[in-house]
Amino acid sequence: MAKTPYDMAVAQLEKCAKIMDLDQNALEILKYPKRVLSVYIPVRMDDGRIKVFRGFRSQHNDALGPFKGGVRYHPDVTIEEVMALSMWMTWKCGVAGIPLGGGKGGIVCNPKEMSLGEIERLSRGYFAAIRKIVGDNEDIPAPDVNTSGREMAWFMDEFSKYKGYNVPGVVTGKPLEIGGSEGRTEATGRGVWVTVCEAAKKKGISLRNARVAVQGFGNVGLYSALFLSQSGARVVALSDSKGGIYNKEGLNVQAVADHKSKTGSVLNFPGSRNISNEEVLEMDCEVLIPAALEGQVNGNNADRINAKLIAEGANGPITPEGDEVLYQKGVMVIPDILANAGGVSTSYFEWVQNLQNYYWSIDDVRNKLDDLMVKAFNNVFEKASKYQVDMRMGAYVCAVDRVVKAMKLRGWV
Ligand code: NAD
């Protein structure tokens, strides 16, 4: 039988457990989510019919704090995928060192084939169906694939109606006007940049004039590239789903972003040469940032990767086979649960601001995020050195160690 994402998540946990000689009782608890709720949501469609959608919310572990994690809308959502993603959120929060646990939600639907009204009714129906297990001190959802501030505003409104007063802290990723945080949009890319700066110091790479290639020029790719170019690196290659561009002197990242919003792609940017996506990945460069899709660096192409340092902006862009080849080649990989943890960390800041009802400036948010990411990177680096493993396993050990210490102190094990 094919392996589900949940089987993969458990296999990774078991590998980590072996490395750190983890207490078997703790492992037994961590292998399963604490709770998974499955709901059926009746929605009145525009043609008058009622259609029933299936949704899930998985709460993996809350030893460190309330469950936290996005809600995705996609036809391929499965209960196993949501369970796996909730476990990965436990590790991401653990690596970031924030007092939150792991959760994830999803609805099996294709929002691209639904009207705005249908999506709103589905969103409100989903939140009404899970409202007994979420709350600003219990479980705090956020945007994920095909959801954004728009859905979060509906979730927050639905929950506030149920409570009878405003509860902005029940979700994060909200629009600024209703309790969102400054700096959230740029946060994941900024976090990638901070971890690259720290890794470059360890590898003895000077970022001034260092050549950077970025695959994927969406939210994460754009801000990673912007912050890196602002700190003196040369972003020589960029790509989106249509292909890539190259300029050996370095691209003007903001001008490429303007070109993309005008033309719909980075291709044909004046002063650059169009190249393929493979050429971007295999670029001769110091830093590579895969910030698009899963499985991009794998057993087939890892030996052709020329970067000295890779920061996983996307979730899961390197396969286990790819990892092995890169480790043998001495390439440092900053794993996704560390490199892109700036997003969830700023969600944590948003939640703190909501609970205090006191809002911070962009400089406050940036300073706090930078401190948090530097600390997280160095903790992971230390664990990787201590156990003589790659940074991915270092990050797992770091996260599992934190969660298990909390579980033991609370008497769960
Ligand atoms: P996005 O939709 O804004 O951008 C994705 C980009 O990838 C687009 O520019 C798209 O054109 C490009 N792309 C798609 N297929 C491609 C291909 N074959 N080759 C090259 N480029 C391709 O998404 P995003 O928010 O930037 O997220 C990117 C990744 O980062 C995802 O894996 C996501 O889960 C992860 N992530 C995002 C955040 C966040 O805060 N946005 C946080 C953590 C992790």
Side-chain angles (χ1 to χ4, degrees):
M1 218 166 68
K3 276 202 167 158
T4 68
Y6 187 68
D7 297 328
M8 270 164 55
V10 171
Q12 280 168 338
L13 172 64
E14 283 172 339
K15 182 174 168 194
C16 167
K18 238 183 231 146
I19 287 167
M20 63 192 289
D21 197 15
L22 182 66
D23 179 326
Q24 283 303 308
N25 292 322
L27 174 63
E28 194 56 21
I29 295 178
L30 288 171
K31 279 201 292 202
Y32 305 95
K34 194 166 178 180
R35 182 195 276 144
V36 187
L37 181 63
S38 169
V39 296
Y40 290 90
I41 314 147
V43 176
R44 172 88 56 198
M45 305 303 277
D46 290 349
D47 62 6
R49 254 178 340 130
I50 295 274
K51 188 168 170 187
V52 177
F53 291 86
R54 185 146 198 223
F56 309 102
R57 183 74 189 168
S58 171
Q59 300 179 328
H60 176 253
N61 186 287
D62 64 347
L64 289 168
F67 305 101
K68 180 97 196 81
V71 179
R72 60 176 55 180
Y73 290 3
H74 200 278
D76 299 338
V77 163
T78 61
I79 194 164
E80 288 84 8
E81 181 193 51
V82 172
M83 283 160 62
L85 290 164
S86 71
M87 189 193 290
W88 284 321
M89 282 306 296
T90 302
W91 311 142
K92 199 176 280 193
C93 292
V95 167
I98 55 182
L100 293 168
K104 202 80 179 190
I107 306 179
V108 187
C109 66
N110 186 352
K112 295 193 174 114
E113 289 173 357
M114 295 168 71
S115 72
L116 184 67
E118 289 169 344
I119 299 174
E120 177 172 355
R121 293 192 288 281
L122 175 64
S123 302
R124 289 186 183 276
Y126 172 73
F127 223 69
I130 65 164
R131 70 185 173 199
K132 290 220 167 76
I133 63 160
V134 295
D136 54 353
N137 275 309
E138 292 155 276
D139 182 354
I140 305 129
D144 196 72
V145 176
N146 290 328
T147 57
S148 65
R150 183 181 73 180
E151 285 74 16
M152 298 309 112
W154 293 328
F155 286 171
M156 184 274 231
D157 187 63
E158 195 59 34
F159 192 77
S160 299
K161 280 198 299 199
Y162 161 65
K163 284 288 180 186
Y165 50 86
N166 274 351
V167 190
V170 68
V171 286
T172 59
K174 297 177 294 295
L176 264 184
E177 295 81 352
I178 53 168
S181 178
E182 293 286 355
R184 175 62 187 89
T185 311
E186 66 180 32
T188 306
R190 188 174 177 93
V192 170
W193 165 66
V194 174
T195 58
V196 169
C197 293
E198 290 306 297
K201 281 188 225 159
K202 303 283 186 209
K203 292 278 286 179
I205 299 172
S206 160
L207 279 186
R208 184 143 292 282
N209 280 323
R211 293 159 305 168
V212 177
V214 181
Q215 185 203 37
F217 198 53
N219 174 279
V220 180
L222 162 65
Y223 286 104
S224 304
L226 260 184
F227 285 116
L228 274 160
S229 65
Q230 282 166 12
S231 58
R234 261 187 300 151
V235 179
V236 292
L238 281 173
S239 67
D240 60 25
S241 56
K242 306 212 170 96
I245 53 171
Y246 173 74
N247 178 336
K248 76 171 181 351
E249 305 303 332
L251 296 151
N252 177 334
V253 179
Q254 188 55 58
V256 178
D258 297 341
H259 172 80
K260 184 175 159 97
S261 34
K262 267 192 231 126
T263 65
S265 167
V266 298
L267 290 181
N268 305 319
F269 176 67
S272 74
R273 176 161 66 80
N274 288 346
I275 58 174
S276 69
N277 240 313
E278 291 70 48
E279 286 175 283
V280 173
L281 286 175
E282 295 164 16
M283 180 68 45
D284 192 12
C285 62
E286 278 70 44
V287 182
L288 171 66
I289 303 178
L293 309 166
E294 307 88 71
Q296 294 298 293
V297 179
N298 46 51
N300 297 327
N301 64 358
D303 58 331
R304 294 198 300 275
I305 299 295
N306 285 301
K308 297 183 177 65
L309 182 61
I310 306 182
E312 291 186 318
N315 286 321
I318 305 179
T319 64
E321 297 75 32
D323 252 347
E324 188 53 45
V325 175
L326 294 170
Y327 189 60
Q328 296 306 330
K329 277 169 64 139
V331 179
M332 185 194 270
V333 173
I334 311 172
D336 45 10
I337 57 172
L338 169 63
N340 68 34
V344 74
S345 302
T346 307
S347 280
Y348 161 59
F349 296 153
E350 177 178 335
W351 176 67
V352 171
Q353 293 171 76
N354 295 151
L355 294 185
Q356 297 178 332
N357 213 356
Y358 177 74
Y359 289 85
W360 309 344
S361 69
I362 178 90
D363 287 340
D364 282 341
V365 174
R366 284 179 168 172
N367 290 336
K368 286 183 167 66
L369 179 65
D370 295 357
D371 286 352
L372 184 152
M373 294 299 301
V374 167
K375 217 164 137 193
F377 178 91
N378 286 292
N379 282 332
V380 169
F381 189 82
E382 227 173 74
K383 286 278 191 280
S385 313
K386 179 175 165 194
Y387 289 95
Q388 295 287 302
V389 290
D390 63 7
M391 289 285 284
R392 190 179 313 282
M393 265 305 128
Y396 262 84
V397 172
C398 210
V400 172
D401 188 47
R402 275 207 179 108
V403 174
V404 170
K405 274 190 181 135
M407 284 167 46
K408 287 195 167 158
L409 286 166
R410 295 177 65 158
W412 295 6
V413 186

